[in-house]
Amino acid sequence: ITLNKLKETAEAMNCELIYAIVPKITASQSRPSIDELLNKQAQHKAKNIVNRASEQMALEAQALNNASLQKEIERLSKNFLDKMPKDFWED
């Protein structure tokens, strides 16, 4: 069924069509907030990028320490949340 058809049906019933994306309930039986989902994805993307760069830097004997890696993950995460790139939800 299309959204237009749902809207027509709702109007015929003198109702309003409301649709939403709602986070799934997690194993702990709590529903994460949208902010939690955004932060988790930003961290995931940032870790992937930093880990790939870190591996390459280690091959060149230029590895960063764990504190520096974590700072870079936090910086990239914040950047992703601020600018929300088109590929934000892609791995």
Side-chain angles (χ1 to χ4, degrees), residues 36-55:
E36 289 170 332
L37 291 176
L38 291 171
N39 285 322
K40 182 178 178 181
Q41 181 64 14
Q43 286 276 324
H44 175 73
K45 286 187 77 64
K47 282 179 185 176
N48 284 343
I49 290 169
V50 169
N51 287 340
R52 283 194 307 266
S54 179
E55 288 171 7

Side-chain angles (χ1 to χ4, degrees), residues 41-57 69 72-73 75-77 79-80 85 87 90-91:
Q41 181 64 14
Q43 286 276 324
H44 175 73
K45 286 187 77 64
K47 282 179 185 176
N48 284 343
I49 290 169
V50 169
N51 287 340
R52 283 194 307 266
S54 179
E55 288 171 7
Q56 186 63 37
M57 290 173 71
L69 292 174
E72 185 59 14
I73 290 169
R75 187 192 69 77
L76 276 176
S77 293
N79 190 318
F80 286 139
D87 67 344
E90 297 172 13
D91 278 333

Side-chain angles (χ1 to χ4, degrees), residues 15-41:
C15 295
E16 179 181 6
L17 173 64
I18 298 174
Y19 55 97
I21 296 174
V22 179
K24 292 180 181 178
I25 295 176
T26 62
S28 66
Q29 297 301 307
S30 64
R31 194 176 301 276
S33 70
I34 295 296
D35 284 340
E36 289 170 332
L37 291 176
L38 291 171
N39 285 322
K40 182 178 178 181
Q41 181 64 14

